[in-house]
């Protein structure tokens, strides 16, 4: 059970700290300069964790196993990170931006699941889409 729960806890804690850090990027700081520092730290941490979790592992041999996805992931992560920074600079609130984007993301991923992975669109998922849309109206009411 713990192997099922701990990744969720890691995601929630990391995403909470992520939102706080992204919201507090200095107003005058260029988002892409900010991201170069962010990714430098991330690269070092990943390299250290690779060697801690793979005693005697060879990072170059691991790189040879890669396909296109980590390279595209690198591109889309920059878009994700820059999007959050720019959204906060534009005035989005930390209490609403993640919820709004998650609602849109949930709807988009239902479509992706159906078209790319042949997942069923069930009545529960349709109800979830309606709930997401209703939630967007409720959370953005003034």
């Amino acid at each position: 059970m713990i192997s099922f729960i701990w990744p969720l806890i890691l995601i929630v804690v990391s995403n909470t700290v992520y939102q706080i850090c992204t919201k507090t990027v200095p107003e005058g700081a260029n988002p892409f300069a900010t991201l170069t520092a962010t990714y430098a730290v991330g690269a070092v941490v990943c390299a250290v964790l690779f060697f801690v979790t793979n005693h005697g592992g060879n990072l170059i041999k691991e790189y040879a196993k890669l396909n296109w996805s980590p390279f595209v992931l690198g591109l889309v992560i920059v878009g994700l990170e820059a999007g959050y920074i720019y959204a906060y600079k534009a005035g989005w609130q930390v209490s609403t931006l993640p919820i709004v984007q998650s609602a849109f993301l949930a709807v988009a991923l239902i479509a992706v699941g159906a078209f790319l992975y042949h997942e069923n669109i069930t009545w529960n998922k349709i109800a979830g889409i309606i709930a997401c849309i209703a939630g967007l109206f409720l959370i953005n009411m003034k």
Side-chain angles (χ1 to χ4, degrees):
M1 183 68 160
I2 191 74
S3 65
F4 190 74
I5 299 295
W6 85 262
L8 179 61
I9 293 168
L10 179 62
I11 291 167
V12 170
V13 170
S14 295
N15 205 339
T16 301
V17 175
Y18 167 88
Q19 297 300 331
I20 293 166
C21 292
T22 306
K23 176 76 171 163
T24 58
V25 167
E27 184 64 34
N30 180 290
F32 297 107
T34 300
L35 291 175
T36 59
T38 300
Y39 294 130
V41 170
V44 169
V45 169
C46 286
V48 168
L49 289 174
F50 172 81
F51 290 111
V52 166
T53 60
N54 293 291
H55 300 288
N58 185 324
L59 196 52
I60 302 302
K61 284 184 180 179
E62 290 300 315
Y63 287 155
K65 298 176 185 176
L66 301 178
N67 65 3
W68 59 271
S69 64
F71 302 101
V72 173
L73 182 61
L75 293 173
V76 298
I77 286 174
V78 170
L80 179 67
E81 307 280 357
Y84 268 109
I85 293 170
Y86 280 113
Y88 283 131
K89 286 179 180 267
W92 277 89
Q93 295 180 351
V94 73
S95 61
T96 56
L97 176 61
I99 296 168
V100 171
Q101 76 79 31
S102 289
F104 280 113
L105 179 63
V107 173
L109 289 177
I110 288 172
V112 167
F115 292 115
L116 291 182
Y117 300 103
H118 309 292
E119 297 173 358
N120 293 326
I121 296 180
T122 63
W123 287 109
N124 287 348
K125 289 180 183 176
I126 292 169
I129 290 170
I130 293 167
C132 285
I133 292 168
L136 288 174
F137 283 111
L138 291 172
I139 202 158
N140 287 303
M141 290 178 70
K142 297 201 182 233

